[in-house]
Amino acid sequence: MTIFNFLIFNPSGLCLYFKEFPAATSSKNNPDSWKLMYGLLHGLKGFSQFMAPRPSPSGRYLRCLSTHEYKLHCFETATCVRFVISTDPRTPDLHDQLATIYNTLYVEYVIKNPLYKLGDRIDCELFVTRLDSYLRSLPCFASS
Amino acid sequence: MIGRSERMCSAACLELMHAEMVSYFLSARETRESAQKEMERLGFRVGQKLAERYTKDYGRITEPMEVLRFIFSDFWPVVFSKPPDSLTTNNNSLYYIEDTDFRWTSKISVTSRTTLEDASYFLTFPCGIVKGAFAALDVDADVKADFQETPSRCLFTIIFKGKAIPTR
């Protein structure tokens, strides 16, 4: 079980943060990949809302996308900031972990950091280091 | 002991408002020094009023050492959410209050475009508060603060002036 990438998208589709772990041998560290990823999530959001058999009380539909090689977990906040994590397919749902990252790391060390301007790429030292240690502490992370 | 009111201010509200205040003064004044002076004056007035409010149940505090003890053990935990970590002196009218996890600046971290110096403007208002509290209790002291490596570790330097030098 392992983690490949972690991304944060802002409401207008800009990739604010991208982190790749060594397990991902095919690097997606380029703006085109991020744009493709955002396009997919945006399209899937509309599709999943349209095809829903009954309306969701939270307004959220897309939770994760599984393929044979990886699983994408998505968490969208009320302010339309999207947190995406790509892991191997056997990983259990990471929705709560993404919510924790939003509540305790993003809000505390990015939003409350007066030196960070909204809309910039995130490189706040405290956020980067704490996010790294949080992701490495998850049981689904194994450095292979 | 300072009585706790039932209505508490949201800490997030205070942090975000303080951040906007600093950014406003830095952009609205011609020089950084005049912005800092104005923020310190604001903090001074707030500190004076806070000291009035928090000493309403105390008798007269006359000795500068007593004032320093009041600021360290009673005033600081209420205004800055937690007690400070240590109080040291150079035995020559300089006292140092160290706070290893200063709540008002612990969320600040440098980015690729900013430095620790940019973060230092966030200590001016708290310094003003402490200076105002001393002044309200009739002690003339100057208060400066610096970061020790990271924005959460702060060292406040209190310089007692004139006849207000505390004697042990």
Side-chain angles (χ1 to χ4, degrees):
Chain A
M1 292 216 290
T2 188
I3 297 180
F4 297 121
N5 312 333
F6 176 81
L7 300 96
I8 302 180
F9 290 100
N10 80 346
S12 46
L14 261 174
C15 178
L16 294 180
Y17 185 74
F18 175 82
K19 183 172 180 63
E20 197 152 60
F21 288 92
T25 47
S26 163
S27 176
K28 299 286 167 279
N29 196 358
N30 54 71
D32 289 331
S33 299
W34 305 335
K35 277 195 209 126
L36 268 174
M37 169 83 83
Y38 180 76
L40 170 77
L41 292 175
H42 191 73
L44 269 179
K45 177 181 174 180
F47 174 78
S48 53
Q49 219 163 333
F50 175 73
M51 290 298 284
R54 53 183 179 208
S56 151
S58 69
R60 292 197 192 108
Y61 293 90
L62 183 64
R63 203 164 161 111
C64 67
L65 168 76
S66 280
T67 73
H68 285 290
E69 292 304 315
Y70 61 93
K71 193 177 197 180
L72 276 180
H73 310 251
C74 304
F75 177 78
E76 191 180 334
T77 71
T79 51
C80 297
V81 175
R82 287 185 175 87
F83 292 81
V84 183
I85 191 166
S86 159
T87 64
D88 88 4
R90 289 161 298 161
T91 313
D93 193 28
L94 289 181
H95 186 265
D96 293 335
Q97 283 76 1
L98 286 175
T100 307
I101 291 175
Y102 170 62
N103 284 319
T104 59
L105 295 177
Y106 178 76
V107 168
E108 295 295 309
Y109 298 114
V110 175
I111 298 298
K112 287 189 184 173
N113 183 4
L115 299 180
Y116 170 77
K117 209 175 74 176
L118 277 178
D120 281 352
R121 282 202 60 107
I122 298 172
D123 50 8
C124 309
E125 202 185 310
L126 270 180
F127 176 76
V128 171
T129 45
R130 293 208 179 181
L131 176 71
D132 189 60
S133 52
Y134 178 78
L135 288 176
R136 282 176 199 275
S137 74
L138 289 177
C140 60
F141 182 86
S143 47
S144 44
Chain B
M1 275 280 105
I2 296 174
R4 278 207 178 270
S5 154
E6 282 315 309
R7 291 172 311 157
M8 309 269 299
C9 169
S10 149
C13 194
L14 178 64
E15 277 177 51
L16 293 170
M17 206 167 85
H18 181 225
E20 286 308 309
M21 184 183 94
V22 174
S23 137
Y24 166 76
F25 276 109
L26 288 178
S27 63
R29 297 286 173 268
E30 289 102 39
T31 66
R32 304 217 139 181
E33 287 71 33
S34 56
Q36 275 189 300
K37 275 210 177 68
E38 191 133 3
M39 285 195 284
E40 198 188 37
R41 256 197 302 259
L42 269 185
F44 186 86
R45 287 199 292 272
V46 170
Q48 278 183 310
K49 293 173 188 169
L50 281 177
E52 283 285 354
R53 189 184 185 286
Y54 290 139
T55 53
K56 65 181 172 65
D57 297 322
Y58 285 64
R60 263 188 67 87
I61 309 176
T62 44
E63 292 298 308
M65 202 59 202
E66 286 301 311
V67 176
L68 181 63
R69 242 177 245 135
F70 164 76
I71 300 273
F72 183 81
S73 20
D74 299 334
F75 186 78
W76 198 283
V78 179
V79 177
F80 300 124
S81 317
K82 64 170 274 289
D85 293 282
S86 70
L87 174 65
T88 47
T89 175
N90 74 343
N91 287 318
N92 202 5
S93 81
L94 274 183
Y95 282 78
Y96 305 100
I97 293 184
E98 194 189 357
D99 199 328
T100 54
D101 186 23
F102 192 56
R103 293 285 154 81
W104 288 42
T105 56
S106 59
K107 308 276 171 54
I108 302 179
S109 54
V110 293
T111 67
S112 57
R113 276 162 295 245
T114 56
T115 63
L116 214 56
E117 208 218 304
D118 295 310
S120 64
Y121 297 107
F122 293 88
L123 286 176
T124 321
F125 186 70
C127 282
I129 291 182
V130 180
K131 187 171 172 179
F134 273 113
L137 295 165
D138 204 24
V139 172
D140 190 9
D142 221 358
V143 183
K144 301 267 177 279
D146 285 300
F147 295 124
Q148 311 278 91
E149 297 145 29
T150 71
S152 51
R153 297 179 65 100
C154 300
L155 188 71
F156 286 76
T157 309
I158 302 165
I159 308 152
F160 287 94
K161 297 195 276 208
K163 57 177 170 59
I165 298 171
T167 47
R168 280 191 166 271

